[in-house]
Amino acid sequence: MELKYEFYINAGREEVWNALISSEGTRSSFFGSELRSNFQPGQPFAYVGPGNDGEETVHVYGEILEFEPLSTLGYLEHPGPSYHSNHAELQSRVIFQLENVGECTKLTLINDQFTDNHPSYANAQNSWWMILSSIKTWTETGKTLNFGW
């Protein structure tokens, strides 16, 4: 199973990269969560924000696979502990890639290598559209999307 999305964003790679890794960028695009990591391959990361366990809910966590500034962010991810009791057994890979296309930035997202019968697969199909649309809107306008939650 592979989910793949390509978005063309009317912003430079630095702005799009900032949306992927900065606290301000991730809070605006990843449902209020902040990406916490030192971004060294082999090291942990977590998206932490408001949720089931209060303000410090771990929504997704895992290990950084690849980190090339302004180019590639890759990680193995698990759903947060409050979502599934077997969260450590559930895994998928996420890769964000940025490239210049004219004066735009092409953002490619690949989410693959899902554990068999991963319960978050269907949710990921819907959530990535929202996250990527939020990244595009935030980098182009400085505004966030309100999904009414």
Side-chain angles (χ1 to χ4, degrees), residues 10 14 37 69 74 83 96 126-127 146:
N10 190 24
E14 286 190 26
S37 179
Y83 293 99
F96 293 97
N126 296 324
S127 297
N146 182 342

Side-chain angles (χ1 to χ4, degrees), residues 1-107:
M1 296 186 294
E2 176 185 272
L3 301 173
K4 183 176 182 180
Y5 306 87
E6 296 177 341
F7 269 62
Y8 293 86
I9 302 172
N10 190 24
R13 279 169 46 169
E14 286 190 26
E15 289 84 5
V16 179
W17 186 252
N18 190 41
L20 293 176
I21 68 161
S22 76
S23 296
E24 182 187 17
T26 57
R27 278 195 305 267
S28 71
S29 303
F30 290 80
F31 308 114
S33 294
E34 189 174 291
L35 175 56
R36 297 184 183 168
S37 179
N38 68 7
F39 300 109
Q40 299 299 312
Q43 293 296 304
F45 79 90
Y47 285 94
V48 180
N52 299 344
D53 300 326
E55 292 299 307
E56 291 287 303
T57 299
V58 174
H59 294 281
V60 175
Y61 72 96
E63 176 185 318
I64 299 290
L65 295 174
E66 192 175 358
F67 185 82
E68 291 178 41
L70 306 178
S71 175
T72 306
L73 170 63
Y75 52 76
L76 288 177
E77 68 171 9
H78 307 277
S82 66
Y83 293 99
H84 303 285
S85 59
N86 64 337
H87 59 92
E89 300 165 19
L90 303 171
Q91 180 172 287
S92 70
R93 181 179 71 162
V94 173
I95 299 173
F96 293 97
Q97 297 171 317
L98 302 182
E99 58 187 287
N100 293 331
V101 177
E103 295 182 10
C104 300
T105 300
K106 178 182 179 185
L107 169 58

